Amino acid sequence: MLTALLFSIITLIGVQPTSTDTLSLDDIHTQIEANYPLAQKIDLQKDITELNKKIAGTAAYPQFNFGTTATYQSEVTELSFPSGGQFSAPELSKDQYKATVEASQVIYNSGAVGIRKELEEIRGQGKNKVTEVELRQIKEQVNQVYFGILLAQEQLHIINMLMKNIEAQIKEVSSKVDHGVLLPSQKYTLEAELINARQDSAEIRSNISSGYQMLSDLIGEEINPNTKLQMPRVNLPQAGELPRQRPEFELFENNREVLGYRKELAQTDKWPTLSAFGSATYGRPGYNVFADEFHAFYMVGLQLQWNFWNAQNAAKKQQVYQLKQKAITKEERAFERQLKASLSKIRRQIELFEVKLEQDQQIIELREKVVDEKASQMKNGSVTATEYIIELNKVTQARMSQMIHRTKLSQSKINYQTTLGISEHRQ
């Protein structure tokens, strides 16, 4: 029965960070933010965003193209004159060559370039918000591991108390057995229970060790298994209006801003684009097809472009983006409602653990009185060692229940803060 209880508790076991003698939950979260590969995406994304903004900004710079052509054609323009005339038409070459440099510069495009740069900035911020949401989930996983270790360490302490108690009873019972007052079976029963407790202790130690290793892997730094983990002491914020500290709220707002810039970009489709352009060419023939020698020639001009269907669809695109903004707002309200429900549930758990903790000590004190009585009766031979072990296991279970409730209470408070989006916890 004791072993089954231990197994049910050990499932939470995990690990912890850093090489100091004492670690707090905030220390581990700091290590996660510094060393976890996912956190490094934030700086990388900032660099990517700056590059994308520069790329978008190049649309406002003069655009240059360089090209060359060499062609041969089967026929060229010929001019025929009446025979006997004094004028002879020039003869054009069938092989033609050109090397051209073209340049264009946008003069007016309704501010589309600036909007695209702002859009890249907001999109980059949104990607980092997604990373922050993923990091918060990693921290929740770390919290489970952290409290799993605390729980296992408390277990180990209680098991050690149990073994000391059994060892003391074995010493006294052995003396009684040696003098023929008690049967050897009483001693054997206690010794068997001591071996069982030692097995449980070994298993817990192994789980704690693997938990520390798991935490080391998460933070990217080796942790000494002897490092003491601090039990967080948390003061809950007053229940009231829901603070918008979760990164998801910022992500919702960011997505709306992205759509806002897309609406502005769609607005630019309603208006024409004015550009200046020019080209300089060296080759033959030029704009004068009768000049068959190699020479330079150029062209400059203005170009006004306006797409009818783009202009007609601009308003529809804006309407689409506006509807998407409303959809995001609906998602945000649904998330907020779910968040409130989760917080309410955690609050009830906290209240339940507080009530149980008030009763745990009373149960332990009563169970200890029964154990003391059974120990005395066992020494007198009026009860068996098995009956004593049953009562001893009951007080051990009561202590474990107290330990579980105490640890779970602290964990629930941390969960409440984490669910709210609070990233630092007072130790």
Side-chain angles (χ1 to χ4, degrees):
M1 180 166 52
L2 177 59
T3 303
L5 179 61
L6 291 173
F7 276 127
S8 66
I9 298 174
I10 292 174
T11 54
L12 292 175
I13 284 194
V15 158
Q16 209 147 337
T18 270
S19 57
T20 57
D21 294 334
T22 303
L23 280 176
S24 69
L25 189 58
D26 283 342
D27 292 333
I28 298 174
H29 285 183
T30 299
Q31 292 285 348
I32 289 291
E33 292 172 357
N35 299 330
Y36 198 75
L38 197 61
Q40 298 168 9
K41 281 179 58 179
I42 293 177
D43 289 335
L44 292 175
Q45 182 57 52
K46 290 179 180 178
D47 293 339
I48 292 171
T49 298
E50 288 302 314
L51 290 173
N52 284 336
K53 287 170 62 179
K54 290 179 180 179
I55 293 171
T58 59
Y61 302 155
Q63 307 298 307
F64 295 96
N65 291 307
F66 174 76
T68 61
T69 60
T71 64
Y72 178 86
Q73 56 197 62
S74 62
E75 60 183 11
V76 293
T77 302
E78 295 181 359
L79 297 177
S80 58
F81 295 93
S83 60
Q86 296 181 349
F87 179 78
S88 60
E91 185 177 345
L92 304 180
S93 301
K94 294 182 178 180
D95 56 324
Q96 300 181 4
Y97 307 91
K98 291 181 182 179
T100 304
V101 176
E102 297 178 334
S104 63
Q105 171 66 58
V106 174
I107 299 174
Y108 174 78
N109 65 349
S110 305
V113 174
I115 295 173
R116 286 192 176 94
K117 290 174 65 176
E118 292 295 332
L119 180 58
E120 289 296 337
E121 176 68 27
I122 296 300
R123 288 176 61 188
Q125 292 176 7
K127 290 182 182 298
N128 279 341
K129 293 304 175 185
V130 172
T131 301
E132 289 179 17
V133 171
E134 294 172 345
L135 276 176
R136 194 190 69 82
Q137 295 171 349
I138 297 297
K139 290 179 180 179
E140 287 182 343
Q141 178 185 352
V142 167
N143 291 352
Q144 293 294 326
V145 172
Y146 186 93
F147 281 98
I149 294 174
L150 289 176
L151 206 57
Q153 289 174 336
E154 292 287 346
Q155 280 183 277
L156 191 60
H157 175 68
I158 293 172
I159 292 298
N160 288 336
M161 291 176 55
L162 173 64
M163 289 191 295
K164 288 180 179 179
N165 191 317
I166 295 176
E167 287 169 352
Q169 294 301 324
I170 289 175
K171 186 176 181 180
E172 291 195 30
V173 168
S174 296
S175 177
K176 299 282 187 180
V177 171
D178 292 341
H179 291 84
V181 177
L182 295 176
L183 294 173
S185 60
Q186 307 289 17
K187 176 184 175 182
Y188 301 153
T189 300
L190 292 173
E191 289 177 340
E193 191 63 25
L194 178 61
I195 294 173
N196 184 55
R198 286 172 178 169
Q199 289 179 336
D200 292 335
S201 175
E203 184 174 356
I204 294 172
R205 290 179 187 276
S206 175
N207 285 327
I208 291 175
S209 178
S210 63
Y212 273 104
Q213 184 57 53
M214 190 166 116
L215 205 55
S216 297
D217 293 338
L218 283 172
I219 68 169
E221 182 176 333
E222 195 64 30
I223 303 170
N224 189 332
N226 295 322
T227 301
K228 178 178 174 58
L229 303 185
Q230 294 181 359
M231 177 71 76
R233 309 294 179 185
V234 182
N235 291 327
L236 287 182
Q238 295 293 326
E241 186 175 351
L242 181 66
R244 301 173 67 84
Q245 295 179 270
R246 287 278 291 262
E248 287 89 342
F249 286 116
E250 295 180 359
L251 184 57
F252 285 129
E253 182 60 32
N254 178 273
N255 289 339
R256 278 192 293 265
E257 289 184 22
V258 167
L259 292 171
Y261 280 107
R262 290 192 180 279
K263 284 169 61 179
E264 291 185 31
L265 200 57
Q267 175 72 15
T268 64
D269 289 340
K270 293 181 178 180
W271 309 107
T273 298
L274 178 63
S275 302
F277 68 91
S279 65
T281 306
Y282 182 81
R284 74 174 190 194
Y287 298 128
N288 180 2
V289 296
F290 298 111
D292 199 41
E293 72 280 358
F294 282 90
H295 66 286
F297 50 95
Y298 68 92
M299 176 189 295
V300 295
L302 293 174
Q303 184 179 45
L304 185 68
Q305 290 180 307
W306 183 76
N307 186 291
F308 174 79
W309 287 113
N310 283 349
Q312 294 300 309
N313 291 330
K316 296 182 179 67
K317 288 181 180 179
Q318 289 180 303
Q319 187 176 5
V320 168
Y321 293 138
Q322 187 171 0
L323 291 174
K324 287 184 176 181
Q325 285 180 320
K326 291 182 179 180
I328 290 174
T329 299
K330 296 296 183 182
E331 292 175 6
E332 182 180 25
R333 290 177 180 174
F335 173 77
E336 189 171 1
R337 183 173 298 181
Q338 293 173 352
L339 188 58
K340 288 181 178 179
S342 297
L343 290 171
S344 178
K345 180 180 178 180
I346 297 173
R347 276 277 187 184
R348 289 195 295 270
Q349 290 175 341
I350 291 171
E351 294 170 358
L352 176 62
F353 288 133
E354 288 174 340
V355 171
K356 287 186 174 182
L357 271 175
E358 292 177 358
Q359 300 170 343
D360 282 334
Q361 189 57 40
Q362 299 176 26
I363 295 173
I364 291 172
E365 292 174 357
L366 293 173
R367 291 292 184 190
E368 286 176 341
K369 290 178 181 179
V370 174
V371 168
D372 291 341
E373 182 179 307
K374 291 297 181 181
S376 177
Q377 291 175 342
M378 181 181 62
K379 294 170 187 176
N380 296 329
S382 56
V383 299
T384 64
T386 300
E387 293 175 288
Y388 169 76
I389 290 298
I390 291 174
E391 296 302 328
L392 184 61
N393 282 341
K394 288 181 180 179
V395 74
T396 300
Q397 291 175 29
R399 288 177 181 142
M400 285 193 174
S401 294
Q402 183 187 49
M403 172 271 295
I404 292 171
H405 295 154
R406 183 171 56 246
T407 305
K408 287 290 188 181
L409 175 60
S410 179
Q411 185 176 7
S412 295
K413 290 181 178 180
I414 291 294
N415 288 343
Y416 190 87
Q417 284 193 329
T418 304
T419 303
L420 275 176
I422 299 174
S423 58
E424 295 184 358
H425 316 286
R426 186 179 67 83
Q427 307 294 329

